[in-house]
Amino acid sequence: LEKAVPDIGAQSGPGEARMKGPGRIELTPGEVNGLIERVKGDDLSVEDRERLVDLIYALHWMNRSLEEKSLSIERLRKIFGIQTEKASHILDVIEKEIEKDRRSEEKGSPAPVDSGDAGGKAPGHGRRSAEDYRTAKRVDHAHNTLKAGMRCPGCDRGKLCSLPPGKLLRITSMPPLEATVHRPERLRCATCGEVYAAELPAEVGTEKYDASACAMVSTLRYGYGMPINRLAHFQKSLGVPLGVGTQWELITRSAEAGRAVFEALVQTAAQGELFHNDDTPMKILSLMGEHKRARENGEELERTGMFTTGIVAIVRGRKILLFFSGRNHAGENLDGILAQREEGQGIPLQMCDALSRNEPAEAPTMVANCLTHGRRAFYDVYSAFPEQVKYVIGLLKDVYHNDTIAHKEGMSADERLHLHQMKSAPRMDQLKDWMEAQIVEKKTEPNSSLGKAIHYMKSRWEKLTLFLRVPGVPLTNDVCERLLKTAIRHRNNSLFYKTESGAKVGDILMSLIQTATQAGVNPFLYLTALQKHKPVVAQNPERWF
């Protein structure tokens, strides 16, 4: 038991070494039967005792491994089943599974059948109004024969009065980029040979590619994940070819026009009251080439990871959304921003997940951890521990509901804090007491998946509950998680950046596009305006926020 018990009882939290697998145990059926007989007769040799210890350890290891594998399969199953982590959905599923298990234990009681009734249409379905088409052209059509003030042709007594016009929506299509061939007339003198060409209107311009073309390619590429090659093939099929190299020239033109605004946004973001940050992996081929050459030369690089960091800065109630790609992780990129923070601004709040690399090493912040990450640790194990997960999700549901009420009613930071202290704090205290009881009273195996979920929340309790003590602390890091989907979409569609300078271009354009979208501004029109007024933008970028 001395060699087995320490391994079996070792408490391994998330990220720690996994339980070591047992060695090969070779027993023939005859040897197994003989061992069983000696156990029954209490006639065990030292070798028999060692074999039993090995078998007990192997059984425990197998149960742990099956539990972990089943959780991975459960996550895969959710892709085709439950596609949301909303409490109303998961609690309903857990209740059905508990009822199914209860009925299956009762003889002759059939398990309930899921009717699959979604309970009516999902919110948001239906026809859009004409007002939703904000940039659509408005064309007024006068009546062919009648006007306001004329006598009614129907009754021949009353006068016609004006009403609001009707609305008929018609949608047509056009390529992302269109081309126009201007053909000025040319005249030549038959005697002297002088050639006279027609003057073109001023709106024709002098550039082959209009600012709107640069903005369109940039928005498609870094706002909506359209790969350059795909757009090139699409445009060619529409009869307006646009080569890959040409597209990159247009994109860099947009990035240069917006570089001053991006740098000014970083400076302004440094003065923020609250920061959300997180990382996602990103491939940069030039850095990967450096890593490869270093390995070939027998060198060890201090760092080989590559990331795109998403940072959301809240400045006087406005959101600035920023991207940074390269070797630095989220904490280091936040350090770079806070290095530009003016003195006397105070220590800002920071919301992130529990990874240590998300916290800055130099600049002080008041760190809060994402409650959704702690909740998800329980959500992932609901199939193995339905009753326990139902209890936890139910408590946290009330906390999230209180936060929703605060946002809907437009409460101030202090009013929201008071609401959480009055209504959410008792729920969080209940959860803490329950987790303590699970471990202390040995209701839950510390090394089980439920035990690990409890350990995750207990070890980070102060940062997970900072919203109960400090005004303005959010519950989750969801705003940054959503922001990073832009970078993830780019990675999925394009796989990589070629160089660090190319990654910088992507960071600038993604930051401008997402910040404009967040502010309710059309990013295509915004990038177009920056290029048309580039000299003025460079002089006063803050006026173009």
Side-chain angles (χ1 to χ4, degrees):
L1 288 176
E2 289 180 357
K3 72 175 183 179
V5 171
D7 290 332
I8 294 176
Q11 295 188 20
S12 58
E16 298 182 18
R18 296 178 64 185
M19 186 177 180
K20 185 178 179 181
R24 183 176 177 83
I25 303 174
E26 296 184 357
L27 287 173
T28 65
E31 290 175 331
V32 171
N33 291 332
L35 180 60
I36 292 173
E37 292 299 324
R38 291 193 292 277
V39 169
K40 291 180 178 179
D42 197 19
D43 186 18
L44 296 176
S45 64
V46 175
E47 183 180 0
D48 288 339
R49 295 177 188 276
E50 291 179 351
R51 281 288 174 85
L52 285 174
V53 169
D54 290 339
L55 289 170
I56 293 171
Y57 177 78
L59 178 62
H60 182 75
W61 176 87
M62 185 172 63
N63 285 335
R64 287 280 306 281
S65 299
L66 287 173
E67 183 181 86
E68 292 178 1
K69 294 295 183 184
S70 66
L71 293 177
S72 299
I73 295 172
E74 181 63 25
R75 293 191 187 99
L76 181 62
R77 189 184 69 82
K78 291 169 190 170
I79 297 176
F80 304 99
I82 303 173
Q83 297 183 2
T84 176
E85 294 183 16
K86 290 182 64 175
S88 58
H89 290 269
I90 185 60
L91 289 176
D92 183 57
V93 171
I94 292 175
E95 188 63 40
K96 287 181 179 179
E97 291 196 0
I98 292 174
E99 179 67 15
K100 182 178 179 180
D101 292 340
R102 184 185 66 80
R103 287 180 175 271
S104 64
E105 293 176 358
E106 298 177 1
K107 293 182 179 180
S109 298
V113 178
D114 186 0
S115 64
D117 184 11
K121 288 185 177 180
H125 286 254
R127 299 177 62 182
R128 295 184 180 275
S129 67
E131 284 71 23
D132 291 336
Y133 299 85
R134 295 179 298 168
T135 60
K137 294 179 181 179
R138 265 62 178 178
V139 181
D140 294 327
H141 300 276
H143 198 281
N144 296 334
T145 58
L146 301 177
K147 293 182 179 180
M150 294 179 62
R151 190 175 295 276
C152 173
C155 66
D156 200 33
R157 294 194 303 274
K159 290 186 178 181
L160 300 177
C161 302
S162 294
L163 294 175
K167 297 175 184 177
L168 294 173
L169 183 65
R170 297 294 182 265
I171 298 176
T172 59
S173 178
M174 64 179 64
L177 290 97
E178 290 185 318
T180 302
V181 179
H182 295 276
R183 303 173 61 188
E185 183 181 11
R186 296 192 302 165
L187 303 172
R188 185 178 66 179
C189 175
T191 302
C192 67
E194 185 72 23
V195 177
Y196 301 90
E199 292 186 4
L200 294 176
E203 56 267 21
V204 173
T206 58
E207 296 285 342
K208 179 178 179 180
Y209 295 99
D210 185 66
S212 61
C214 302
M216 177 59 72
V217 174
S218 301
T219 304
L220 289 175
R221 177 81 171 108
Y222 294 107
Y224 303 100
M226 171 72 80
I228 289 179
N229 278 319
R230 194 173 302 170
L231 181 58
H233 288 297
F234 182 47
Q235 282 294 139
K236 184 178 179 180
S237 69
L238 295 175
V240 185
L242 190 68
V244 171
T246 301
Q247 288 186 56
W248 181 246
E249 290 179 9
L250 302 183
I251 288 172
T252 54
R253 193 184 301 179
S254 289
E256 285 304 314
R259 185 181 294 272
V261 176
F262 172 78
E263 293 172 353
L265 281 174
V266 173
Q267 173 66 35
T268 304
Q271 321 311 320
E273 307 91 38
L274 169 64
F275 294 88
H276 295 257
N277 69 326
D278 201 1
D279 278 328
T280 188
M282 185 62 66
K283 291 182 178 180
I284 303 176
L285 296 188
S286 62
L287 296 183
M288 295 174 69
E290 292 179 12
H291 302 163
K292 182 179 179 180
R293 289 189 293 272
R295 288 194 300 269
E296 291 173 350
N297 296 330
E299 301 174 2
E300 290 188 7
L301 294 178
E302 182 179 351
R303 178 174 299 177
T304 58
M306 289 166 281
F307 311 94
T308 289
T309 296
I311 295 179
V312 179
I314 313 296
V315 186
R316 297 186 296 276
R318 298 294 188 108
K319 293 179 181 178
I320 297 177
L321 286 64
L322 301 171
F323 292 87
F324 301 91
S325 298
R327 288 192 178 96
N328 290 346
H329 50 64
E332 292 170 327
N333 286 317
L334 184 55
D335 257 332
I337 291 179
L338 292 178
Q340 304 181 49
R341 191 174 180 84
E342 298 173 358
E343 294 184 4
Q345 288 288 347
I347 298 177
L349 296 172
Q350 180 190 357
M351 166 55 70
C352 60
D353 60 35
L355 287 176
S356 59
R357 71 186 187 198
N358 287 336
E359 299 183 22
E362 302 294 335
T365 59
M366 191 178 300
V367 182
N369 283 162
C370 178
L371 187 61
T372 297
H373 280 75
R375 178 184 181 275
R376 187 173 295 128
F378 288 94
Y379 170 81
D380 285 339
V381 302
Y382 81 86
S383 60
F385 304 93
E387 292 283 1
Q388 295 89 332
V389 172
K390 179 182 176 183
Y391 180 78
V392 173
I393 297 292
L395 290 177
L396 294 178
K397 178 183 178 182
D398 294 340
V399 177
Y400 282 94
H401 179 67
N402 295 333
D403 204 56
T404 301
I405 292 175
H407 286 293
K408 283 185 176 180
E409 297 184 2
M411 294 184 181
S412 66
D414 290 330
E415 291 172 339
R416 173 178 171 271
L417 175 63
H418 179 70
L419 175 67
H420 277 304
Q421 288 175 339
M422 293 295 294
K423 295 188 176 181
S424 300
R427 293 290 183 266
M428 297 303 291
D429 290 339
Q430 282 181 258
L431 176 58
K432 185 178 181 181
D433 294 341
W434 178 85
M435 292 191 299
E436 290 285 352
Q438 292 294 308
I439 303 301
V440 173
E441 299 176 13
K442 298 183 179 181
K443 297 178 180 179
T444 299
E445 166 74 33
N447 285 336
S448 67
S449 52
L450 178 61
K452 291 180 180 179
I454 292 173
H455 174 75
Y456 180 93
M457 290 202 73
K458 285 181 59 181
S459 61
R460 298 163 177 83
W461 190 255
E462 292 300 314
K463 293 181 179 179
L464 288 171
T465 58
L466 188 64
F467 71 95
L468 296 175
R469 301 185 296 277
V470 179
V473 177
L475 293 184
T476 73
N477 199 32
D478 290 352
V479 63
C480 193
E481 300 281 351
R482 289 193 294 269
L483 175 65
L484 282 177
K485 288 183 178 180
T486 303
I488 294 170
R489 180 169 54 206
H490 172 83
R491 184 184 67 213
N492 290 343
N493 288 338
S494 301
L495 303 182
F496 53 78
Y497 287 114
K498 189 174 182 180
T499 63
E500 288 183 272
S501 61
K504 183 65 174 179
V505 167
D507 292 339
I508 291 173
L509 291 173
M510 283 188 190
S511 300
L512 295 179
I513 290 169
Q514 293 303 319
T515 302
T517 302
Q518 173 66 38
V521 174
N522 185 320
F524 163 70
L525 297 179
Y526 182 68
L527 293 181
T528 302
L530 291 183
Q531 290 175 82
K532 288 184 175 180
H533 304 87
K534 183 178 178 181
V536 182
V537 172
Q539 292 176 0
N540 296 290
E542 294 84 0
R543 298 188 64 182
W544 292 83
F545 282 0

